[in-house]
Amino acid sequence: MSKKIIEITDEGNAFLEKVNELSGQVVTLCDQCGTCSGCCPMAEEMDITPSQINRMVQLGQVEVLDLEAIWLCASCFTCTVRCPRGLDPSKICESLRQMTLRKAIDYMDIRDISEKEMRRLPQIAIVSAFRKFTG
Amino acid sequence: MRIGVYVCHCGGNISEVVDINKVVEAAKLEGDVVLVKDNSHLCSNDGQTLMLNDIKEYKLDKVVVSACSPQFQGLTFMRVMETAGLNPYVLEMANIREQCSWAHYNFPKEATDKAIDLTKIAISKVRLDTPLDSKKMPIGKRVLVVGAGIAGIQASLDLGDAGFKVYLVEKEPSIGGHMAQLSKTFPTEDCSACILSPKMSDVPANKNIELMTYSQVESITGYLGNYEVTVNKRPTYVDPVKCTACGDCVPVCPIDVPDEYNEGLSLRKAIYITSDIAVPHSYVLDTDHCLGLFPLACSKCRDACEADAINYDLYPEKVKFTVDTIIIATGFDIFDAKKKPMFGFGKFENVYNALEMERIIGCEAEGKKLAEVGKKIALIQCVGSRDEQINREYCSRVCCMYATKLAQLMKRSDPKKDISIFYTDMRTYGKGFEEYYKRAQKSGVKYIRGRVAEIEENPDTKKLKLKVEDTLSRSFIESEFDTVVLSVGLEPNKGTETIRDILRISKSSDGFLQEAHPKFRPVDTLIEGVFLAGTVQGPKDIPDAVAQASAAAARAIRLMNQGEYEAEPITAWVDEDICAGCGICVGICPYDAITSEEQSDGTRLAVVNEILCKGCGSCSGACPTGASQQKWFDITQLRAMLEAAL
């Protein structure tokens, strides 16, 4: 497998700035100690670990948005209370999700759901289904 | 004869490996031994009191302590002997810690056997020990400080303020050293020149300090309390009293030379002043570059000088004086990045070393401007540190923090600058360092863990392409930068080698001068009355250098303040009846302590100067007749020790 080569570009820096702005965090503060990955209950299911998410953002790799990991984050905040640098990784994940969500592309049309199904589905399931299938 | 033997557990350091009971039982079988005891910490107050009481109660006249190295606690037990009214030289120590339990911790049985043997050897030696008396020698209050960087300045000021006479020798035209070149200091970002210059001007203002700049130590002979020093003073050809530092001589000088103070980023003339904060604040004529004085080729500067301060008829001067102690503070050189050719230093236009970047930031007025170095900047760590390829295994300790500082200063000058630091490990061990590192990360400086493999220059744009593995994400980074700064390490100053040869101070494997003990005598050397201050002993930052300088001053004062000191009584002596006067010992003595003197009957005899003699034993080993013997280690004692061992 050939390794991908990263270049530090202005676009990458702009992406980092955008994540900083949306999350209210300074992602360059992350020391890559791995505390967040170690305590994350979902890390084993993720394609990359939470600390790898931070690293990709630091290096301006927009591809992080295409990975599953940010959607598996349950926002349980375990990482937030344990980060030795006072960062909030769950907010970083949330900002990455927001970047996709704000593209406002819907994959699910509400009109495709039958009335019977609509009645049986809990509201929260409909909301989360919209979120999961957006972007 | 009544010998007491004490076996120490050293709180488990010994007893966890060596079977103490077996050592005690073996010692009890030796002749003349009237008492054998073991104790968990013999060096503690409790242990010392036990020994004191036993010596009185059992009327012991000789003592053997089986414990640690005599280098470590020897003095403690000698003091116990003195308190008990015994001569400290009828005490023997068997080193059953460093030489037994620590060296052979995987072999407890063998370690125990060795401990028993060493204890028996010590008993057989103590039987033949005779009391030795140390001589009282006078000592004055004069100190030589070599090198006037921040460490030398601090040591001189401390000594001068305490009322000691200081001769401060500096080879450059101005004092201040490398600190005078720095932009700001980490982690507080104090302006380096601003905090240093008041200290520099304190030096000539101190009436106890005699400052000799543009001078080098040529020779040092003698011993503690009587070091005779010869200093070679280069003429500056400018009278510092008359010179008003007006600078009229500069524009007329036809010679341009790279300015050392600015790391060659700007030019200076052959007549110049090092910097705005130079002390002494006077111009210097550099004869290595001047068109020539003998015969006089130019004389334009003299014609331009209204103060009439320039005099060409001067010659190097030899200044001789005597001091009691010496402090070495000759500092460091930066690593020459040309030795790592993959970084293209000196070849690629936009590759700088960190000291050059300090000058670019610190000295905006002349030379290269910070705005000209571009937006995208990379700093490469560990250039000349932690690298066996170039024989620099050690960490230079300051680079992580000065790179962080340079990144901060650059970022502050223009927040749009995109700065990446390529590091091996971030070492932020000092007070406020971690907080400072965090601040840099917060300001957006990128820290990328990986050593840069190579740099390629684009021949058209002069931009630099770095190739490196980010070892945290395990991916490759290939990126173009406008400027690359190499965080070069510290290495021993070339001038240190000269003074090392003169004084015969040993150096550690990294090339820096060796302290007498890494924990308890960090500023002493093994030469009596010679101390180390600052980076001459190893890489360190400014606060550490200053602390060490004050420590060296305090250690020197400790020796000098008494007015007299006790000379080492273990010296060589020559049996005049046997000495054949061959003179082999004269040549072999590393301290020049033996002379061959002619007697009235025409024969020659070796005579030992007991003050110079350090008791190394070289002469005793070399003497073909056995006339030269060392007190406390004479041949009968060595034979007895060998017999006990076999």
Side-chain angles (χ1 to χ4, degrees):
Chain A
M1 194 186 82
S2 67
K3 288 268 182 202
K4 196 178 152 350
I5 289 172
I6 301 167
E7 198 181 338
I8 293 166
T9 59
D10 289 342
E11 296 80 62
N13 287 338
F15 172 66
L16 166 66
E17 287 297 316
K18 188 80 187 163
V19 177
N20 282 349
E21 195 184 329
L22 283 176
S23 63
Q25 305 298 304
V26 183
V27 184
T28 43
L29 266 177
C30 171
D31 244 357
Q32 291 290 296
C33 69
T35 305
C36 49
S37 308
C39 66
C40 176
M42 296 304 289
E44 281 172 34
E45 309 299 324
M46 290 177 176
D47 42 5
I48 61 167
T49 62
S51 65
Q52 281 177 297
I53 296 174
N54 290 351
R55 191 65 184 161
M56 287 183 80
V57 174
Q58 285 178 340
L59 298 177
Q61 292 177 272
V62 189
E63 308 88 271
V64 69
L65 296 176
D66 302 331
L67 298 171
E68 277 180 18
I70 55 172
W71 300 102
L72 285 170
C73 164
S75 293
C76 70
F77 302 118
T78 312
C79 51
T80 308
V81 295
R82 292 195 181 164
C83 175
R85 286 243 143 177
L87 274 176
D88 190 338
S90 60
K91 272 197 183 149
I92 295 166
C93 271
E94 175 61 19
S95 68
L96 293 170
R97 291 192 292 263
Q98 283 298 333
M99 287 172 102
T100 301
L101 292 172
R102 284 181 185 187
K103 289 181 191 155
I105 306 165
D106 291 335
Y107 291 113
M108 197 178 80
D109 193 336
I110 193 136
R111 284 162 299 190
D112 293 345
I113 306 169
S114 69
E115 221 181 300
K116 191 179 158 198
E117 280 171 327
M118 274 295 244
R119 232 173 255 127
R120 284 177 55 199
L121 275 171
Q123 274 186 348
I124 188 78
I126 297 172
V127 172
S128 57
F130 264 109
R131 275 195 75 158
K132 295 258 172 184
F133 292 111
T134 304
Chain B
M1 196 178 300
R2 299 175 66 82
I3 302 173
V5 179
Y6 293 88
V7 187
C8 184
H9 296 232
C10 195
N13 271 310
I14 297 170
S15 56
E16 280 168 12
V17 179
V18 171
D19 188 335
I20 300 283
N21 282 334
K22 284 195 177 151
V23 181
V24 170
E25 290 312 314
K28 278 182 183 161
L29 299 175
E30 293 294 303
D32 302 323
V33 174
V34 293
L35 176 80
V36 185
K37 278 188 178 173
D38 61 308
N39 190 282
S40 64
H41 293 96
L42 211 53
C43 56
S44 69
N45 202 21
D46 215 35
Q48 292 184 37
T49 319
L50 171 86
M51 280 177 69
L52 265 177
N53 293 341
D54 284 353
I55 291 172
K56 290 201 178 105
E57 195 180 328
Y58 295 93
K59 297 193 171 55
L60 303 177
D61 53 13
K62 285 182 175 175
V63 175
V64 170
V65 175
S66 290
C68 52
S69 162
Q71 296 275 355
F72 190 64
Q73 291 292 359
L75 275 178
T76 310
F77 297 117
M78 283 168 98
R79 243 177 269 130
V80 173
M81 297 291 282
E82 272 185 326
T83 316
L86 292 176
N87 186 284
Y89 293 90
V90 293
L91 163 86
E92 282 299 327
M93 284 187 76
N95 183 355
I96 62 166
R97 189 177 74 166
E98 282 86 340
Q99 291 175 0
C100 296
S101 64
W102 283 1
H104 314 294
Y105 58 91
N106 277 335
F107 303 94
K109 194 195 156 290
E110 286 80 359
T112 306
D113 290 345
K114 189 173 169 188
I116 291 170
D117 283 346
L118 289 181
T119 308
K120 281 184 185 168
I121 291 170
I123 294 169
S124 65
K125 179 167 185 289
V126 86
R127 278 195 199 109
L128 298 170
D129 275 344
T130 48
L132 297 179
D133 290 317
S134 40
K135 264 197 194 128
K136 297 264 192 221
M137 294 295 298
I139 186 167
K141 297 192 168 190
R142 302 153 297 179
V143 193
L144 165 70
V145 179
V146 190
I150 182 58
I153 290 174
Q154 181 67 38
S156 302
L157 289 174
D158 282 352
L159 286 159
D161 289 347
F164 291 79
K165 172 78 190 167
V166 181
Y167 298 89
L168 178 57
V169 179
E170 168 61 48
K171 74 170 189 306
E172 299 295 330
S174 166
I175 62 172
H178 281 297
M179 191 183 165
Q181 289 183 289
L182 305 181
S183 54
K184 301 207 167 174
T185 59
F186 59 77
T188 48
E189 290 185 13
D190 295 298
C191 156
S192 186
C194 318
I195 55 173
L196 178 64
S197 59
K199 270 201 181 296
M200 284 165 67
S201 52
D202 280 352
V203 171
N206 194 310
K207 63 178 183 352
N208 286 330
I209 301 177
E210 192 171 324
L211 178 60
M212 283 176 250
T213 49
Y214 227 35
S215 308
Q216 269 174 297
V217 173
E218 198 174 85
S219 74
I220 299 173
T221 54
Y223 46 89
L224 174 63
N226 188 26
Y227 283 112
E228 283 163 21
V229 185
T230 309
V231 169
N232 192 12
K233 212 171 171 183
R234 283 176 73 182
T236 62
Y237 303 101
V238 182
D239 185 340
V241 183
K242 286 187 187 165
C243 177
T244 57
C246 65
D248 286 349
C249 50
V250 172
V252 297
C253 179
I255 303 291
D256 283 321
V257 190
D259 186 353
E260 300 89 352
Y261 175 71
N262 248 348
E263 288 298 310
L265 294 170
S266 62
L267 297 174
R268 65 163 171 86
K269 299 290 186 176
I271 187 160
Y272 71 110
I273 189 160
T274 334
S275 71
D276 294 343
I277 58 166
V279 170
H281 205 65
S282 160
Y283 278 74
V284 178
L285 180 60
D286 165 14
T287 45
D288 296 342
H289 296 100
C290 177
L291 284 175
L293 296 179
F294 305 104
L296 191 59
C298 162
S299 87
K300 279 186 180 152
C301 50
R302 187 176 60 188
D303 302 340
C305 183
E306 279 181 22
D308 201 19
I310 300 174
N311 176 9
Y312 297 130
D313 297 321
L314 292 173
Y315 303 92
E317 231 185 301
K318 295 228 191 301
V319 185
K320 285 179 197 271
F321 51 89
T322 308
V323 294
D324 302 284
T325 54
I326 298 171
I327 294 177
I328 313 278
T330 43
F332 69 91
D333 277 338
I334 56 167
F335 173 72
D336 177 12
K338 285 187 187 135
K339 288 181 191 159
K340 295 291 284 180
M342 61 284 264
F343 297 138
F345 179 72
K347 198 165 77 182
F348 302 154
E349 204 175 298
N350 291 321
V351 176
Y352 298 95
N353 71 32
L355 202 52
E356 289 175 341
M357 188 47 80
E358 294 278 357
R359 293 310 307 149
I360 290 173
I361 293 174
C363 184
E364 285 273 83
E366 306 169 40
K368 189 115 182 159
K369 308 258 185 307
L370 186 52
E372 293 166 12
V373 300
K375 287 256 181 277
K376 237 174 116 172
I377 297 162
L379 290 110
I380 301 178
Q381 299 304 106
C382 297
V383 178
S385 309
R386 305 179 67 188
D387 189 348
E388 286 187 30
Q389 300 294 331
I390 42 157
N391 203 16
R392 303 282 189 290
E393 270 185 81
Y394 56 89
C395 165
S396 290
R397 292 179 98 230
V398 289
C399 323
C400 283
M401 291 316 291
Y402 78 55
T404 300
K405 172 196 73 186
L406 288 174
Q408 280 275 276
L409 296 177
M410 288 191 269
K411 198 89 184 166
R412 194 146 329 124
S413 77
D414 176 6
K416 286 217 164 58
K417 279 201 199 299
D418 178 14
I419 298 165
S420 307
I421 297 180
F422 295 90
Y423 67 95
T424 318
D425 288 296
M426 278 308 286
R427 294 185 167 173
T428 58
Y429 54 88
K431 190 171 182 173
F433 287 11
E434 179 68 18
E435 294 91 325
Y436 190 60
Y437 166 43
K438 193 174 165 186
R439 218 167 92 197
Q441 286 178 309
K442 203 165 184 174
S443 71
V445 176
K446 292 190 195 72
Y447 283 83
I448 298 168
R449 188 177 182 277
R451 277 180 112 129
V452 175
E454 59 187 345
I455 301 179
E456 282 171 38
E457 187 187 51
N458 183 326
D460 302 320
T461 60
K462 301 289 174 196
K463 289 197 178 198
L464 303 155
K465 193 157 112 187
L466 300 193
K467 198 169 176 204
V468 60
E469 185 193 3
D470 174 34
T471 58
L472 294 177
S473 68
R474 291 288 169 204
S475 49
F476 289 111
I477 294 179
E478 253 185 59
S479 210
E480 264 199 347
F481 289 87
D482 298 319
T483 293
V484 169
V485 180
L486 305 177
S487 294
V488 284
L490 274 49
E491 61 183 29
N493 191 320
K494 283 170 204 79
T496 305
E497 207 51 34
T498 322
I499 199 86
R500 199 182 83 79
D501 280 347
I502 294 173
L503 283 168
R504 297 188 181 103
I505 306 171
S506 49
K507 60 180 175 185
S508 40
S509 58
D510 55 12
F512 291 95
L513 296 192
Q514 178 119 46
E515 63 277 16
H517 188 282
K519 301 285 184 293
F520 297 112
R521 294 176 67 194
V523 301
D524 298 13
T525 65
L526 287 171
I527 315 282
E528 261 187 316
V530 179
F531 304 94
L532 304 175
T535 47
V536 69
Q537 179 258 341
K540 53 178 65 68
D541 63 352
I542 295 163
D544 282 4
V546 169
Q548 209 188 24
S550 292
R555 294 289 290 173
I557 291 172
R558 171 185 165 269
L559 278 180
M560 293 184 292
N561 216 25
Q562 300 284 343
E564 58 177 22
Y565 69 95
E566 282 188 4
E568 172 76 62
I570 301 171
T571 58
W573 69 280
V574 176
D575 190 334
E576 296 178 5
D577 296 338
I578 309 176
C579 178
C582 67
I584 290 175
C585 53
V586 178
I588 219 156
C589 176
Y591 302 97
D592 302 329
I594 310 180
T595 46
S596 174
E597 284 176 15
E598 199 172 319
Q599 303 300 298
S600 50
D601 60 356
T603 57
R604 299 192 81 82
L605 200 61
V607 177
V608 180
N609 178 336
E610 289 191 355
I611 309 299
L612 285 175
C613 177
K614 296 279 173 288
C616 70
S618 301
C619 53
S620 312
C623 182
T625 59
S628 175
Q629 290 292 327
Q630 206 181 344
K631 289 179 193 166
W632 218 45
F633 290 101
D634 73 35
I635 191 73
T636 52
Q637 285 184 301
L638 296 178
R639 271 200 202 108
M641 288 164 78
L642 264 178
E643 270 162 28
L646 293 173

